[in-house]
């Protein structure tokens, strides 16, 4: 079914907004914080031996000349995790040295939300963007949640506010609201249920409503609308990474090599999805490559994910149309190390907002399970 309508701030008379700064909650230093001394970060024979098994995981995507600069941080982070009793969550868009060498749990937004709810450790280090760290805090209100750089934002999360959701409810009274997990805690507190790209269609249909407001990704909303008979009212948000891909670009890859397989994320525009051999979330894309084992594949999403899949499946040749997420790339090994040493930057969410947001996130997680 075609999208019923797409609304943006200008349609509702919403105030202009820029990069999102948390209105409530925020970041700080965990209290009481015992800062630990900086470990030695030299490349030695001992470091080489201690990290050799980790380099085996990434040797296909990290040149040998670069590993001596990364390995001391990898070793120090993994030792500090034990000292702090911390667990590191990493999104698929993190670089291989983070995703494969220091993360305890990796995955897409849905996987990380589910695993965050199960974490036993008292300290969670979220290697992703800010809304992911907020989601971990929402699901773990009594744990310390750290993000190595609180400036790691998201164009989707910045595209809609809680006030926008309230205005949409006024315009469409009684219509349930589904929000992509790529939203702030304040927005999650105003909606009925969250979703990710993995389960968006299932979430929409679980509401048993003839029409649904879907925010904030207009392209994911269009994809969902094409898969369901539910009438979708969408928002004019978009991912700055996925929106840059074009159908013409994909056709050029296929013209250069007709045998190449192209798989795309549903945050991409419709002309991109029309050219793809498969469309799915980051988790579904990875599983597709594992199952199909194509000779050559183009993954139309953030390019670090291709590196992470290449590390796991070295015999699959990855063509890399590289659109980097500038926010994801704010998370680095030195910043993760600093976060563990100083317990900065701690993510907090205002308790009344967290309580309301938790219901929408847990409703999504319960639907998955």
């Amino acid at each position: 079914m075609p999208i019923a309508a797409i609304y943006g701030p200008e349609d509702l008379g919403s105030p202009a907004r820029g990069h999102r700064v948390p209105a409530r909650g925020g970041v700080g230093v965990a209290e009481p914080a015992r800062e630990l001394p900086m470990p030695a970060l030299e490349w030695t024979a001992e470091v080489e031996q201690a990290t050799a098994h980790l380099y085996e995981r990434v040797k296909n995507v990290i040149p040998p000349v670069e590993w001596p600069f990364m390995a001391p941080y990898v070793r120090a982070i993994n030792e500090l995790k034990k000292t702090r009793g911390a667990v590191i969550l990493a999104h698929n868009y993190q670089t291989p040295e983070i995703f494969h060498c220091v993360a305890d749990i990796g995955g897409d937004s849905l996987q990380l939300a589910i695993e965050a709810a199960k974490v036993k450790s008292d300290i969670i280090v979220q290697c992703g963007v800010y809304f992911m760290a907020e989601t971990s805090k929402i699901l773990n209100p009594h744990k310390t949640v750290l993000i190595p750089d609180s400036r790691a934002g998201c164009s989707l999360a910045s595209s809609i506010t809680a006030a926008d959701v309230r205005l949409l409810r006024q315009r469409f009274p009684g219509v349930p609201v589904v929000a992509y997990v790529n939203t702030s805690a304040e927005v999650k507190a105003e909606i009925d249920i969250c979703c990710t790209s993995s389960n968006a269609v299932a979430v929409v249909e679980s509401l048993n409503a003839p029409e649904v407001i879907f925010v904030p990704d207009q392209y994911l909303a269009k994809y969902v609308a094409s898969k369901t008979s539910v009438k979708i009212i969408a928002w004019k948000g978009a991912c700055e990474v996925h929106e840059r891909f074009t159908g013409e670009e994909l056709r050029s890859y296929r013209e250069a090599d007709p045998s190449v397989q192209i798989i795309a994320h549903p945050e991409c525009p419709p002309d991109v999805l029309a050219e793809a051999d498969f469309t799915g979330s980051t988790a579904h894309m990875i599983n597709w490559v594992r199952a199909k084992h194509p000779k050559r594949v183009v993954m139309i999403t953030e390019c670090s994910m291709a590196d992470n899949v290449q590390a796991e499946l070295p015999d699959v040749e990855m063509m890399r149309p590289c659109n980097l997420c500038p926010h994801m790339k704010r998370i680095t090994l030195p910043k993760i190390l600093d976060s563990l040493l100083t317990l900065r930057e701690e993510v907090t969410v205002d308790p009344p907002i967290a309580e309301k947001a938790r219901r929408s996130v847990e409703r999504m997680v319960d639907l998955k399970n």
Side-chain angles (χ1 to χ4, degrees), residues 104-285:
D104 300 291
I105 300 168
D108 65 3
S109 298
L110 179 58
Q111 290 169 309
L112 294 183
I114 291 170
E115 294 301 325
K118 301 176 184 176
V119 166
K120 303 298 182 185
S121 302
D122 290 331
I123 297 175
I124 297 171
V125 182
Q126 184 78 51
C127 295
V129 292
Y130 192 84
F131 78 78
M132 296 177 183
E134 275 191 331
T135 303
S136 290
K137 183 63 178 180
I138 287 165
L139 295 170
N140 297 275
H142 304 299
K143 296 182 185 296
T144 297
V145 176
L146 306 173
I147 185 166
D149 191 332
S150 62
R151 297 172 300 169
C154 173
S155 59
L156 278 172
S158 296
S159 73
I160 191 165
T161 67
D164 294 328
V165 178
R166 290 191 290 269
L167 288 170
L168 282 168
R169 285 196 183 277
Q170 289 176 18
R171 180 161 296 198
F172 302 100
V175 177
V177 182
V178 175
Y180 199 18
V181 76
N182 301 41
T183 46
S184 67
E186 291 88 351
V187 166
K188 290 181 176 72
E190 296 291 337
I191 56 98
D192 296 290
I193 186 171
C194 284
C195 77
T196 70
S197 53
S198 293
N199 64 5
V201 175
V203 167
V204 165
E205 293 184 342
S206 75
L207 296 171
N208 296 314
E211 60 181 354
V212 166
I213 298 168
F214 190 100
V215 299
D217 191 307
Q218 60 179 307
Y219 298 121
L220 181 58
K222 289 177 181 178
Y223 175 76
V224 171
S226 73
K227 301 294 182 181
T228 181
S229 60
V230 178
K231 181 179 176 183
I232 302 294
I233 300 164
W235 185 254
K236 290 181 182 176
C239 168
E240 63 187 284
V241 172
H242 293 100
E243 190 177 36
R244 294 202 300 270
F245 292 107
T246 66
E248 182 180 0
E249 182 181 358
L250 270 62
R251 286 190 291 276
S252 70
Y253 300 137
R254 214 180 287 283
E255 289 170 4
D257 180 2
S259 69
V260 73
Q261 298 289 291
I262 301 176
I263 60 177
H265 195 281
E267 288 178 20
C268 295
D271 67 318
V272 172
L273 303 188
E275 296 292 334
D277 297 297
F278 174 79
T279 298
S281 69
T282 55
H284 290 154
M285 293 169 78

